[in-house]
């Protein structure tokens, strides 16, 4: 009998969706290996009224982009708010009233297990469990190296932590110790596979023998990537710079113009790609915002980082974790970033040490470990 597992994400930021996609792809791989399993992924924001979606997802993205300090304040306030506070109960009521279509979609798929990569569906389903309306086991995957109070949802079949510290924090706030599992953050199966740097670099037009740095602007290609690339390359050196512009077509064109006129043979712009693992395999250093998924991808690939412009709240705490583990440096502004690139450019031994630390804490098999636990599939982890 086919076992069905449903993944629920929320497109408020890309990380929650990417984690669910990684889990779905892992189930597909297991099915190809002969396991009788089937998966489906639903983005909660596709099943709520447009007004709610604008407030919940679009407002969040606008807030972290335009008013990051305000978001940081809200992050701390909600982290300190008790679950039984009036504001917390009101929030859950509003969410419940706006997710009725989602409950219908869940029932139609009739899953044997549900994994939430965001707290919103987990809270909604926890209430359904308490009311005796569903008996499907629900699991919750935390997607940052932090544990905000909103992720502390009682009644789950299990909880997946990004690191041993987060597992410890889960136990400290009263979640059942026997349901907490340190798996890491789920990544696409490709991040666990072998990578031939020589062949991949040649495919991207890169010289595999030269130091290669990667600048990541996220799926949306945010930030002044062209100005940053010009500044870094103008400082000298022989390193190559790969810049991921994501879906930002205008930025990609500006980068291509810059590559053609000022930095031919050293600047390699790329648009949105699903070959991030292959790009990372060609690089010696990543310059990126410390989102939970992006950081986990770098760790899985043994790619040291300079983290810059972290969003106050979860990304600041992600950055703290990476710095404590010796896998990253942090740049507070463009001047600090340029100096750090300058230092690491001339310190291959230091870069190698950081790469080893990244690899030591990376969890490329996190998605398979999660699925093995959820579906009790022996020998798949």
């Amino acid at each position: 009998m086919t076992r069905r597992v449903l993944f629920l994400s929320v497109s408020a930021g890309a990380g929650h969706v990417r984690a669910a996609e990684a889990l779905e792809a892992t189930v597909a791989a297991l099915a190809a290996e002969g396991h009788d399993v089937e998966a489906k992924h639903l983005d909660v924001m596709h099943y709520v009224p447009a007004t709610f979606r604008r407030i919940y997802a679009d407002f969040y993205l606008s807030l972290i982009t335009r008013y990051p300090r305000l978001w940081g304040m809200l992050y701390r306030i909600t982290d300190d708010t008790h679950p039984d506070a009036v504001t917390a109960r009101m929030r859950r009521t509003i969410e419940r009233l706006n997710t009725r279509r989602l409950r219908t979609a869940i029932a139609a798929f009739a899953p044997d297990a549900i994994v939430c990569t965001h707290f919103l569906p987990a809270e909604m389903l926890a209430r359904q469990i308490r009311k005796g309306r569903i008996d499907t086991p629900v699991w919750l995957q935390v997607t940052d190296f932090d544990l905000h109070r909103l992720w502390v949802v009682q009644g789950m079949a299990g909880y997946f932590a990004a690191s041993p510290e987060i597992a410890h924090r889960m136990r400290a706030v009263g979640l059942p110790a026997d349901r907490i599992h340190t798996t890491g953050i789920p990544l696409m199966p490709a991040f666990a596979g072998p990578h031939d740097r020589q062949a991949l670099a040649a495919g991207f037009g890169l010289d595999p023998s030269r130091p290669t740095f990667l600048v990541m602007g996220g799926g949306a290609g945010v930030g002044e990537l062209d100005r940053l690339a010009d500044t870094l390359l103008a400082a000298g050196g022989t390193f190559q710079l790969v810049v991921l512009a994501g879906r930002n077509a205008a930025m990609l064109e500006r980068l291509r113009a810059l590559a053609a006129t000022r930095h031919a043979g050293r600047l390699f712009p790329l648009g949105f790609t699903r070959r991030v693992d292959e790009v990372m395999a060609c690089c010696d250093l990543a310059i990126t915002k410390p989102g939970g998924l992006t950081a986990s991808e770098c760790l899985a690939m043994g790619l040291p980082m300079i983290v810059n412009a972290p969003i106050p709240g979860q990304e600041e705490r992600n950055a703290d974790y990476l710095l404590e583990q010796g896998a990253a440096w942090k740049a507070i502004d463009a001047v600090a970033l340029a100096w750090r690139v300058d230092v690491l450019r001339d310190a291959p031994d230091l870069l190698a040490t950081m790469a080893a630390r990244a690899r030591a804490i990376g969890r490329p098999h996190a998605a398979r470990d999660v699925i093995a636990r959820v579906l009790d599939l022996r020998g798949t982890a």
Side-chain angles (χ1 to χ4, degrees), residues 56 91 95 116-124 140 150-151 153:
Y56 202 97
R91 175 183 57 79
E95 292 171 353
C116 301
T117 61
H118 192 280
F119 53 82
L120 189 159
E123 286 184 328
M124 178 199 75
L140 183 56
L150 291 177
W151 289 93
V153 182

Side-chain angles (χ1 to χ4, degrees), residues 37-200:
V37 292
E38 178 185 353
K40 189 170 188 177
H41 167 215
L42 301 179
D43 179 352
V44 173
M45 291 296 103
H46 294 166
Y47 294 86
V48 298
T51 301
F52 181 84
R53 182 167 59 249
R54 284 194 295 270
I55 294 173
Y56 202 97
D58 298 347
F59 177 68
Y60 164 76
L61 294 174
S62 175
L63 197 62
I64 63 173
T65 302
R66 301 174 61 187
Y67 307 104
R69 290 180 183 275
L70 177 57
W71 165 251
M73 182 179 68
L74 291 174
Y75 188 89
R76 291 189 295 273
I77 290 172
T78 52
D79 196 22
D80 292 336
T81 302
H82 193 277
D84 292 332
V86 173
T87 53
R89 293 202 305 270
M90 287 177 60
R91 175 183 57 79
R92 290 194 296 270
T93 299
I94 293 170
E95 292 171 353
R96 186 171 67 253
L97 293 175
N98 282 279
T99 51
R100 289 173 177 169
R101 285 181 56 217
L102 175 65
R103 295 196 292 272
T104 301
I106 293 172
F109 184 63
D112 297 293
I114 301 173
V115 182
C116 301
T117 61
H118 192 280
F119 53 82
L120 189 159
E123 286 184 328
M124 178 199 75
L125 291 170
R127 185 175 188 276
Q128 297 295 303
I129 293 169
R130 290 195 302 272
K131 296 289 185 179
R133 294 170 182 165
I134 65 169
D135 57 6
T136 305
V138 180
W139 304 70
L140 183 56
Q141 170 72 59
V142 177
T143 56
D144 281 299
F145 297 98
D146 182 35
L147 184 68
H148 189 280
R149 183 182 288 272
L150 291 177
W151 289 93
V152 183
V153 182
Q154 297 290 343
M156 300 288 98
Y159 306 84
F160 298 113
S163 70
E165 180 184 353
I166 300 309
H168 172 76
R169 292 179 68 85
M170 288 177 172
R171 293 188 292 270
V173 296
L175 295 177
D178 60 342
R179 299 185 187 183
I180 297 169
H181 313 284
T182 305
T183 56
I185 298 173
L187 306 176
M188 283 292 184
F191 285 91
H195 296 83
D196 184 336
R197 175 168 177 156
Q198 296 281 330
L200 291 171

Side-chain angles (χ1 to χ4, degrees), residues 7-51:
F7 304 109
L8 299 177
S9 69
V10 173
S11 50
H16 310 291
V17 174
R18 282 162 57 198
E21 290 174 342
L23 291 167
E24 184 182 30
T26 300
V27 172
L30 290 171
E33 293 171 9
H35 292 279
D36 196 6
V37 292
E38 178 185 353
K40 189 170 188 177
H41 167 215
L42 301 179
D43 179 352
V44 173
M45 291 296 103
H46 294 166
Y47 294 86
V48 298
T51 301

Side-chain angles (χ1 to χ4, degrees), residues 267-328:
L267 175 59
F268 297 84
L270 291 173
F272 179 80
T273 177
R274 296 193 180 277
R275 301 171 62 193
V276 174
D277 59 300
E278 296 181 1
V279 175
M280 287 184 173
C282 301
C283 297
D284 303 286
L285 174 72
I287 300 164
T288 180
K289 289 172 62 62
L293 264 290
T294 299
S296 295
E297 290 170 351
C298 289
L299 295 176
M301 297 298 296
L303 185 62
M305 290 159 269
I306 297 178
V307 295
N308 66 322
I311 298 168
Q314 69 271 35
E315 287 194 355
E316 284 184 335
R317 297 183 186 183
N318 291 342
D320 289 343
Y321 172 74
L322 297 171
L323 268 62
E324 289 167 0
Q325 297 298 320

